[in-house]
Amino acid sequence: MDRATTPDAVSETVLSVVRPLGFTKVLAGIIPTPGMSMQQQVANVVLHRWPDRWSQRYFSQGYLFEDPTIRRVTTSTEPFLWSELEATCRDDAPAKRVMGEAREFDLGFGFTVPMLTLDGQSAGFSIASDRAELPPHYRGRLQLMAMYAFGRALTMSDEPLPVKLTPREADVLHWIAEGKSDWEIGMILHVSEHTVDKMARQIRAKFGAANRTQAVAQALRQRIIR
């Protein structure tokens, strides 16, 4: 972890540890407060190896404020398996919808570590997959790793490398942050869907981001887009 030089390298280090248990995805960030815009929510993401299509749906639909894992993170400091929330979701239709739709993106089994930042903000670190195993004695080890990885990535996020985008790239990234699809962005900017996808890949490369959500989060933190 100490040798990692980017948040994505931190994510890859985490995944190298948890893949043998069946976990393939990681997400971590500071929990936004109710009323925050989609862009503000995304800007709070610190580690992101989550399906982009699910992130787009999740943030654009305001699922964060219906997600039972987020509620648990803000009310408890104990790590938990998502399966432990089933009883609390039984009579909560929005929460059941969020968890059910997450399974469509191979996010059916997860483990989350609640944390607090130095200034008292709630934060969460999750690993997930369609199926995995987590022996009870691994929980403490993963909690320690989660806290260290989050702190390491948060420090990197506070000192981003400057990135320069062309005006057209900035336009594309702005509309990605608004939750628009490639086809919709193409219609708005009067370019082909293929051109939008190509520019999105160029933007990811400039930020050294593993996916679009990570690129958007970095751009928002650097105030390249608003």
Side-chain angles (χ1 to χ4, degrees):
M1 203 78 73
D2 285 334
R3 290 194 296 271
T5 57
T6 65
D8 192 52
V10 173
S11 294
E12 184 54 43
T13 301
V14 169
L15 291 175
S16 71
V17 173
V18 301
R19 279 194 187 101
L21 299 172
F23 293 99
T24 58
K25 300 171 179 65
V26 59
L27 179 74
I30 297 170
I31 307 302
T33 56
M36 279 189 172
S37 67
M38 175 183 168
Q39 290 84 354
Q40 290 171 317
Q41 294 175 42
V42 173
N44 280 1
V45 175
V46 176
L47 298 176
H48 190 282
R49 283 289 191 91
W50 229 234
D52 264 332
R53 287 179 54 241
W54 172 239
S55 293
Q56 181 180 357
R57 182 190 301 185
Y58 186 92
F59 289 115
S60 64
Q61 297 297 318
Y63 282 179
L64 184 141
F65 303 113
E66 299 174 348
D67 189 340
T69 66
I70 300 300
R71 295 176 191 170
R72 176 66 69 88
V73 164
T74 58
T75 58
S76 173
T77 58
E78 291 296 317
F80 58 91
L81 290 169
W82 294 357
S83 58
E84 296 168 9
L85 303 178
E86 291 178 359
T88 63
C89 296
R90 191 169 295 125
D91 299 318
D92 188 334
K96 287 176 65 176
R97 181 180 68 248
V98 172
M99 300 300 281
E101 290 184 17
R103 294 188 184 95
E104 300 173 16
F105 296 87
D106 294 333
L107 297 171
F109 185 92
F111 177 71
T112 295
V113 177
M115 293 175 285
L116 285 174
T117 65
L118 292 176
D119 55 359
Q121 293 178 290
S122 294
F125 177 103
S126 294
I127 51 176
S129 187
D130 57 340
R131 61 181 64 188
E133 295 182 4
L134 184 57
H137 64 277
Y138 270 67
R139 286 195 179 204
R141 302 177 191 181
L142 292 182
Q143 182 180 19
L144 181 61
M145 180 185 70
M147 295 173 68
Y148 193 81
F150 181 76
R152 183 89 174 95
L154 198 60
T155 301
M156 295 173 184
S157 299
D158 289 339
E159 300 177 358
L161 295 175
V163 172
K164 292 185 178 180
L165 300 180
T166 66
R168 182 46 61 92
E169 287 173 338
D171 287 340
V172 168
L173 192 57
H174 165 78
W175 290 114
I176 290 174
E178 291 287 337
K180 300 296 185 182
S181 68
D182 287 1
W183 180 84
E184 291 172 321
I185 296 171
M187 293 294 292
I188 293 170
L189 300 180
H190 306 292
V191 297
S192 70
E193 189 173 350
H194 172 74
T195 298
V196 173
D197 178 67
K198 180 180 178 181
M199 295 185 73
R201 284 187 273 113
Q202 292 173 183
I203 292 167
R204 282 174 49 191
K206 285 188 175 183
F207 281 101
N211 47 59
R212 296 184 180 191
T213 304
Q214 191 179 79
V216 169
Q218 291 187 42
L220 288 166
R221 283 194 289 268
Q222 295 184 44
R223 300 185 182 278
I224 294 173
I225 58 174
R226 299 176 184 270

